């Protein structure tokens, strides 16, 4: 199971750090990622990380402001969001699979419940 947390209400220009805690062991072959869904919009891929190598991938729309990372020992993934904008307002979901393609296309087998990020202007 995946448990996302860290969302909240923040002013534009601020920062947030989202966490996604996984129960049980995460194998080095796993890929974890973040998606978001803004009100009235489709779910959008944000970033992904290969658990073993730590290699990261980002959607073009968030490069430079979002940083995905993980803590292997704590089985936790993070998403640091800086310079928040009102358009970042969304529910952020974490996801996990052994297949990179499934993660980045939103077809991963495991999803967290989501954490709401609201950015005020």
């Amino acid at each position: 199971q995946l448990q996302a947390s860290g969302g909240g209400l923040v002013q534009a220009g601020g920062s947030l750090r989202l966490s996604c805690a996984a129960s049980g062991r995460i194998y080095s072959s796993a890929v974890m990622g973040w998606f978001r869904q803004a009100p009235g919009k489709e779910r959008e891929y944000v970033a992904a990380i290969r658990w073993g190598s730590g290699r990261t991938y980002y959607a073009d729309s968030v490069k430079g402001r979002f940083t995905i990372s993980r803590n292997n020992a704590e089985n936790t993934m993070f998403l640091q969001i800086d310079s928040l904008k009102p358009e970042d307002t969304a529910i952020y979901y974490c996801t996990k699979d052994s297949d990179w393609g499934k993660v980045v296309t939103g077809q991963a087998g495991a999803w967290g419940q989501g954490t709401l990020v609201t950015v005020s202007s």
Side-chain angles (χ1 to χ4, degrees):
Q1 289 186 338
L2 302 176
Q3 182 76 32
S5 62
L9 175 62
V10 63
Q11 287 189 332
S15 297
L16 275 179
R17 190 192 197 202
L18 307 184
S19 298
C20 176
S23 60
R25 177 183 177 182
I26 302 177
Y27 292 90
S28 61
S29 58
V31 180
M32 295 187 69
W34 290 97
F35 275 73
R36 65 182 180 182
Q37 187 165 19
K41 294 187 177 182
E42 294 187 353
R43 188 174 57 188
E44 173 190 25
Y45 162 72
V46 173
I49 186 167
R50 292 189 183 273
W51 198 257
S53 66
R55 185 173 179 179
T56 58
Y57 308 83
Y58 297 93
D60 289 341
S61 59
V62 304
K63 284 181 180 177
R65 295 192 301 118
F66 287 37
T67 304
I68 188 172
S69 63
R70 90 274 195 238
N71 182 317
N72 298 61
E74 296 184 357
N75 284 351
T76 303
M77 175 179 65
F78 306 99
L79 186 68
Q80 177 72 33
I81 310 174
D82 297 318
S83 303
L84 277 156
K85 304 175 181 180
E87 51 263 42
D88 294 322
T89 295
I91 299 175
Y92 284 72
Y93 299 90
C94 56
T95 184
K96 182 172 78 72
D97 204 283
S98 59
D99 188 308
W100 180 85
K102 288 184 177 180
V103 170
V104 299
T105 58
Q107 300 176 68
W111 289 83
Q113 85 290 357
T115 186
L116 176 62
V117 172
T118 304
V119 184
S120 62
S121 56

